[in-house]
Amino acid sequence: GNRGCFSVREWIRNVWNFAKEDSNRVTFSLKVGLAVLLVSLLILFRATYHVFGGTNIIWAILTVAIMFEYTVGATFNRGFNRAIGSLLAGIFAIAVAEVALCTGHVAEPIIIGFSIFFIGAITSFMKLWPSLVPYEYGFRVTLLTFCLIIMSGYRMGNPIRTAMDRLYSIAIGGFVAVLVNVFIFPIWAGEQLHKELVNSFNSVADSLEECVRKYLQDDGSDRPDFAKNVMDEFSDEPAYRKCRETMDSSAKLDNLANSAKWEPPHGRFRHFFYPWSEYVKVGAVLRYCAYEVMALHGVLHSEIQAPYNLRITFQPEIQEASSQAAELIRSLGNDISNMKRSLRTSLLKRVQSSTERLQRAIDMHSYLLTSSHDLLDYSSKSFPCRVVPSNTLSSSASDFSGQLAAEPAGSNRPEPPLNPTLQKAPSETLLPAAAGLQAESYHETMKKQQRRLYSWPSREVDSYEEGTNGEDLPRMRALESTTALSLATFTSLLVEFVARLDHLVEAVDELAKMAKFRNEES
Amino acid sequence: GNRGCFSVREWIRNVWNFAKEDSNRVTFSLKVGLAVLLVSLLILFRATYHVFGGTNIIWAILTVAIMFEYTVGATFNRGFNRAIGSLLAGIFAIAVAEVALCTGHVAEPIIIGFSIFFIGAITSFMKLWPSLVPYEYGFRVTLLTFCLIIMSGYRMGNPIRTAMDRLYSIAIGGFVAVLVNVFIFPIWAGEQLHKELVNSFNSVADSLEECVRKYLQDDGSDRPDFAKNVMDEFSDEPAYRKCRETMDSSAKLDNLANSAKWEPPHGRFRHFFYPWSEYVKVGAVLRYCAYEVMALHGVLHSEIQAPYNLRITFQPEIQEASSQAAELIRSLGNDISNMKRSLRTSLLKRVQSSTERLQRAIDMHSYLLTSSHDLLDYSSKSFPCRVVPSNTLSSSASDFSGQLAAEPAGSNRPEPPLNPTLQKAPSETLLPAAAGLQAESYHETMKKQQRRLYSWPSREVDSYEEGTNGEDLPRMRALESTTALSLATFTSLLVEFVARLDHLVEAVDELAKMAKFRNEES
């Protein structure tokens, strides 16, 4: 008793939250109720029932129930489908019925039967045609109405009268549906599209920041199984999930834009031919940017990882670049949301200079990303054909790594936030952390990585017995280099993401121009 | 006249090709025609018309037209929705009508009106609930049928009789729809899902190969505008477009799997509870792999590019790794297609060893990816705090690059296909090409790249006047390094793609186990 009571209460709370989350849901429900009630009144009152042609008025209810959609535009669109479909069906039906009537008693049912088969096959074939798929409902209505009209006409005589009565009551139903939908708390597809696009901007920005934060936080110790992650859809990364929803929302944006085109000017979207299709284009460019975020996320969950210490070495620059980029995206979303155009000079400047700083940091410390001593071992041992003066390089490289190891590992003081004017800061703050890399968990991590990589197809492949013992060393090194290059990949993807933002800015500018957003000096 | 004639012929050819492309389309159309014809016969013959309760038989046509779906599973699913919806509506309607009848003449229409409003609002609210969205059609049917039954009952008396007659004719319609759909050239959702998944495997493999081919072909000279490419959806890359369709096909797979669950064992899928949901899971893992292909494609179209000569340096390894990976994917797709389990030992071995070879090549030539002399310039000029014995390193580096430049640039003979047993081949064949890199178009490309990067937000930002002249050099170098790292990014993504294939192999194995694919020693 107590548990059942609790779960009912839980259930009611869920429903309540669902309704509160978007009050349009309740509005929509009540509107549907109202619309069917209004049409029912025509039947409930004896007077109107007889005025509007008796039993046929039932088609008005059917129309309301089928035509009433969530947004104004979708209702118009569906109404259009229904109207054209019914009209075509009516015309076909009357034409066929007249012909059938003239042919006499025997041929009539044959002609009618054949026409039904023909219309059924044609409409079904046409609705499979890619460009006609959105009008699927219209074809269904055509078939349905055609059959009903021609059948009623055959059994009850006077097909034209039947068709007209039916079209008439369908029109009443459509009229009521549109009136209620437009004039009582209308839910505009345009407004929904606008909000949806702004939300997409925010979710891409969130996802970028989340991904970078995780990448820099993660010390590789408690990495959950990837397969598990794929299955529970990365439940500990809410922003990533929202971003994936954004990736999959192209159909949703298309639908909303299609619906919005049917809507008259309303609310904030005051001029005719508002460029709803531009919203879809901006969405496409945004998704194209988001592919890079997906790839960043891929690096985050990659099995081959740069060691934590190496990642943390570039933390200030990565952090800076990503948060500047996120800010730019948010500001773009915000501008769309407020329908204003602002100059993004200072923001663009900051994004660009922070990205440049990241590039420079990577470049300056590129020796960390490649283990140059491997090259020497290769050249001196396995490939005697090389004529490089390897001893010179070799000695200098070992000098250098000795130098690195000699740096005090304990001295990595908390790093100050990077100041744009303080150009020399990176190299001073980076090196101690880099030293720690060599000193402590680096080889540990390497071994773990190796285990991971080599356990890879271990279930079926055992090619390792084939190799000579001498090959073990180079393999290990190939791995070291690859793990470090994973950091290079991460930063390259980040830089590429920033480069793509240019196209996003352009697309948003184009939208702002076409939709006549108001200018505002930020 | 001639032109119109031509376009009609064109149009007919298009329709013909569309039909030939998938003959199921024609089958489906003819089946719909047949189903409506069969139901119509009940009305056309006077005898059956009177047996099956007169005008109500029209509901059978309505049911067929609405219920007939492309696949067997979808028809069952829709039929289920319609049946449950109609049943619930019938029960509600009878209950409300009986209550209303007892309350007398005045209260009756009020109760009926209120109940219609209530049912309209409740069903509309419920169909917005996320887990109930797939049953949207059922809720619509419930509302529709409820209104129709209660209205007919009110105006014509005897609601139970009306309800039963209607349910009866709906059942006939449903029965005909199911019979025709199942027994005449059935189109199984399961079969479609099976094919769809296999096609996804092929399109990912194709896209990978296309992307790598373009990356290695491309000499950067005729790169079309990116924005144009985004807009015309990369029309010159058919495989990429197919792959993007695969990315967006999650909803399609879900739908097919949902439909397939309703289907009885059939054709090749002979046992009950066939694991259709595993297909969706495999599809998800495949899409997860395909994200890497998208990222590779992103690098291909990135504005920051590694110089052509550098890319071509690693051509044999990249080509080898990618084509082995593509072959593995195709073999997985093929195994699913033929419903067999084969040991993929040798294939896995080859994929893995070719990836390893790529890693090793990158590692061995990592000096090409980072311009190590930059480091020295930095340390000696800008950062005097460094205590690296820079002169030693500096000299060795310049020795080395001198060595590189001294290599005969014209001697790059056609490279033989890489033989797995010939482990030393890479270094011998790679160096000449690498030398060409230094010699000719490298600085050209660099300048172009720089123009690209710096023209970036040029419309609004002009921060370059701020910097001192001395900063120009490091900036140029940051760029060089980043462009080279773009190659590292490409290979890292490729390696990561191969690493993910492991999960794909696992998912396919799981599917093979659950679906009881037959074993076969390959």
Side-chain angles (χ1 to χ4, degrees), chain A residues 98-345:
Chain A
E98 292 296 327
V99 168
L101 264 180
C102 299
T103 54
H105 234 60
V106 181
E108 193 184 355
I110 296 174
I111 290 181
I112 289 180
F114 183 77
S115 72
I116 285 180
F117 175 82
F118 188 72
I119 294 281
I122 288 289
T123 53
S124 303
F125 186 76
M126 283 175 78
K127 75 183 178 191
L128 295 178
W129 192 268
S131 61
L132 295 178
V133 165
Y135 307 105
E136 196 263 350
Y137 177 69
F139 289 107
R140 225 183 257 273
V141 166
T142 307
L143 172 59
L144 195 100
T145 314
F146 178 81
C147 291
L148 291 177
I149 290 176
I150 208 160
M151 279 299 137
S152 318
Y154 179 69
R155 274 293 151 212
M156 303 159 202
N158 201 351
I160 298 186
R161 182 67 215 278
T162 313
M164 291 316 292
D165 274 1
R166 201 148 287 168
L167 288 181
Y168 192 52
S169 64
I170 286 175
I172 292 176
F175 191 66
V176 169
V178 167
L179 276 190
V180 170
N181 209 329
V182 173
F183 291 103
I184 301 176
F185 299 110
I187 302 168
W188 300 100
E191 188 72 46
Q192 303 274 322
L193 176 59
H194 193 82
K195 274 187 200 156
E196 192 70 33
L197 186 66
V198 171
N199 285 343
S200 301
F201 274 85
N202 289 333
S203 74
V204 170
D206 289 349
S207 182
L208 174 68
E209 289 195 325
E210 181 190 71
C211 183
V212 169
R213 195 178 57 243
K214 286 227 159 209
Y215 188 71
L216 296 175
Q217 257 176 15
D218 185 16
D219 59 354
S221 55
D222 55 347
R223 186 182 303 281
D225 187 36
F226 166 82
K228 197 179 137 280
N229 259 334
V230 169
M231 285 314 135
D232 75 350
E233 297 272 313
F234 301 96
S235 57
D236 58 333
E237 290 164 44
Y240 170 71
R241 296 177 71 189
K242 264 176 90 181
C243 188
R244 269 194 90 161
E245 275 168 34
T246 301
M247 304 292 288
D248 292 340
S249 70
S250 67
K252 198 175 173 187
L253 288 188
D254 276 352
N255 275 342
L256 284 175
N258 268 335
S259 297
K261 278 173 200 157
W262 289 92
E263 293 175 350
H266 60 271
R268 304 186 282 169
F269 315 104
R270 244 166 264 150
H271 58 88
F272 283 91
F273 305 112
Y274 192 84
W276 295 117
S277 53
E278 281 300 311
Y279 279 75
V280 175
K281 281 185 200 162
V282 171
V285 177
L286 181 64
R287 250 176 297 129
Y288 207 81
C289 295
Y291 275 129
E292 295 298 317
V293 178
M294 292 324 238
L296 283 173
H297 187 264
V299 176
L300 168 65
H301 284 279
S302 163
E303 303 213 338
I304 301 163
Q305 281 296 347
Y308 176 64
N309 285 325
L310 186 56
R311 276 178 277 158
I312 213 69
T313 305
F314 297 97
Q315 186 194 12
E317 286 83 5
I318 292 177
Q319 197 97 65
E320 177 83 2
S322 66
S323 63
Q324 295 290 356
E327 200 186 320
L328 175 61
I329 297 168
R330 284 214 187 83
S331 119
L332 288 171
N334 212 32
D335 279 5
I336 295 177
S337 175
N338 297 325
M339 299 185 76
K340 67 174 187 190
R341 306 171 70 171
S342 56
L343 287 174
R344 276 171 289 271
T345 318

Side-chain angles (χ1 to χ4, degrees), chain B residues 371-434:
Chain B
S371 32
S372 53
H373 45 96
D374 284 359
L375 159 72
L376 308 165
D377 286 341
Y378 264 104
S379 61
S380 59
K381 256 201 308 198
S382 326
F383 310 110
C385 58
R386 273 273 221 21
V387 259
V388 180
S390 58
N391 52 336
T392 322
L393 250 171
S394 178
S395 64
S396 64
S398 56
D399 279 4
F400 185 65
S401 57
Q403 165 63 29
L404 260 176
E407 289 261 347
S411 76
N412 43 353
R413 55 192 186 282
E415 291 160 349
L418 211 70
N419 190 327
T421 60
L422 191 66
Q423 288 291 354
K424 288 175 195 169
S427 78
E428 287 170 2
T429 54
L430 287 176
L431 271 179

Side-chain angles (χ1 to χ4, degrees), chain B residues 199-212:
Chain B
N199 284 344
S200 301
F201 274 85
N202 290 333
S203 75
V204 170
D206 289 348
S207 181
L208 175 68
E209 288 195 325
E210 182 190 71
C211 184
V212 168

Side-chain angles (χ1 to χ4, degrees), chain B residues 502-517:
Chain B
D502 183 35
H503 300 290
L504 190 62
V505 170
E506 223 162 82
V508 172
D509 274 356
E510 184 69 21
L511 168 64
K513 208 162 57 186
M514 291 184 70
K516 293 173 189 150
F517 287 176

